Amino acid sequence: MINAPVSKRDWSAHPPLLYPGYTSTVLRAPTKPLIPLAHGLAETSGPVFGHDSLGPLDHDLTRNGMRNGEPLGERIVVTGRVLDEDGRPVRNTLIEIWQANAAGRYVHKVDQHEAPLDPNFLGAGRCVTDENGVYKFHTIKPGAYPWRNHFNAWRPNHIHFSLFGNTIASRLVTQMYFPGDPLLALDPIYLSAPEGARERLISRFSLDVTEPNFCLGYVFDIVLRGRGETPFEG
Ligand SMILES: [Fe+2]
C-alpha cells in the first residue's frame, strides 16, 4: 500500500459533470453543489500491483482471445508513459483497457450493434507500468460504432483506459482517440472535455513505435494530475 498526498483536481482540464450534448449526463449529473470531504487513508492509499499479478497474454489483445485463428482487423501497438503531477513516472501501476473490435462491436450483452463479433477477439487487456512508467499493448484498431445519444450519432475510434495511479483518489478513467478521425469534431463525449485539454486524448502516430511488417504504432502519454493532466471521461 502506498500513502501519498493528492492535489485538487484541475477542473479546467475535465468535462463538466453536466454537458447537455452528452445526453446521459443530464440524468446522472448531481443537481446540488458537491460537498468537499477531506481525504482519508481510503483515498490517499491504493493497491500495489506487481508484474506477477498478470497473465502472460494480458497485454496482447491480438492473442488473449484467440480460439481458432487470429482476430480480424488492423493490428496496432499502443504505448506511452504514465506521469504524476510533477512529471515523475508512475511505476507499477495497473492499466486496464477495453474496446470494440474492428467492426465496432463489443463483447458485451448490452451492445446490440448489428456488426459481427470476432470469435478471436475479446477486447480487454491489462498491464503494469515499468520502472520508467511505460506501458505497451498490442491490439486491433477499434471500429467506430453508432450510439443513441442523438440521430445518426457515431463514436469515433477509441480505446477505454482505466488507471489506478498511486492512490484511489488519482484513479483515472478515460478514452484514447486516433489522430485525424473525422468523427471527433462531432462527438459530444470528446467535445465535453475543455478545448486545450481534449487534444491530450488523441494519440500520436509514431513510425518509431511502428513494428516493421507487423503493426502501426501509436503513442499515448497519460498525466494523472497537475499541468497537462489527461481529462477524465465525462
Ligand atoms: Fe466505447
Side-chain angles (χ1 to χ4, degrees), residues 106 145 155 158 160 175:
Y106 285 96
Y145 59 81
R155 294 299 329 282
H158 63 278
H160 295 268
Q175 298 183 25

